[in-house]
């Protein structure tokens, strides 16, 4: 049986890091949009325009990825609260502790993880 308090701390740290990252990325995106809006040059004719568009796209992707991870972390915290943490959602067997060490938010044992992705 996994050490619930230890995994709770790991998940809470991960949640805090993702929330901070999302906040910072959103601020960066807002600043870039503001700078772009205040500029007199359009992206099509601005040599830096494609770079700004690329950076905005990457930052948006990072926000999406971080939000998805945050959902997984919150779900794992929910499983800790309801007593199902560490049990595979597919087969109900215990997830190997090494797997939980690497990915404490995982809801699947190694056998079923490959089937879900």
């Amino acid at each position: 049986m996994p050490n619930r308090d230890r995994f709770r701390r790991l998940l809470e740290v991960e949640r805090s890091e993702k929330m901070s990252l999302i906040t910072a990325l959103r601020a960066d995106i807002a600043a870039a949009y503001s700078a772009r809006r205040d500029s007199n040059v359009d992206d099509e004719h601005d040599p830096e325009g494609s770079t700004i568009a690329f950076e905005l796209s990457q930052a948006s992707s990072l926000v999406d990825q971080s939000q998805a991870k945050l959902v997984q972390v919150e779900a794992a915290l929910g499983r800790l609260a309801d007593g199902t943490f560490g049990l595979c959602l597919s087969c109900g067997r215990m997830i190997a502790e090494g797997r939980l060490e690497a990915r404490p938010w995982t809801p699947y044992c190694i056998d079923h993880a490959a089937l879900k992705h």
Side-chain angles (χ1 to χ4, degrees):
M1 191 69 164
N3 181 327
R4 294 168 46 88
D5 290 333
R6 185 166 160 276
F7 284 106
R8 178 177 284 108
R9 285 190 300 273
L10 287 172
L11 289 164
E12 287 172 349
V13 166
E14 185 73 22
R15 177 176 56 187
S16 178
E17 288 174 358
K18 291 301 174 212
M19 291 172 70
S20 294
L21 178 60
I22 290 168
T23 299
L25 287 168
R26 285 183 176 158
D28 289 347
I29 290 168
Y33 275 120
S34 178
R36 178 196 254 178
R37 185 178 51 247
D38 295 341
S39 172
N40 290 332
V41 180
D42 63 36
D43 283 354
E44 185 177 336
H45 298 99
D46 181 1
E48 293 295 319
S50 60
T51 302
I52 292 169
F54 177 76
E55 289 175 6
L56 285 170
S57 176
Q58 283 211 303
S60 293
S61 292
L62 288 172
V63 168
D64 292 345
Q65 291 170 9
S66 295
Q67 287 176 320
K69 178 65 66 64
L70 187 57
V71 167
Q72 293 174 337
V73 168
E74 292 291 348
L77 287 166
R79 290 190 301 277
L80 269 169
D82 70 17
T84 61
F85 180 80
L87 299 176
C88 177
L89 292 182
S90 288
C91 66
R93 291 181 297 172
M94 289 296 301
I95 300 169
E97 191 143 351
R99 179 159 171 73
L100 290 172
E101 288 285 334
R103 301 175 59 95
W105 50 85
T106 188
Y108 301 107
C109 67
I110 194 72
D111 293 335
H112 290 103
L115 300 174
K116 300 299 177 186
H117 296 285

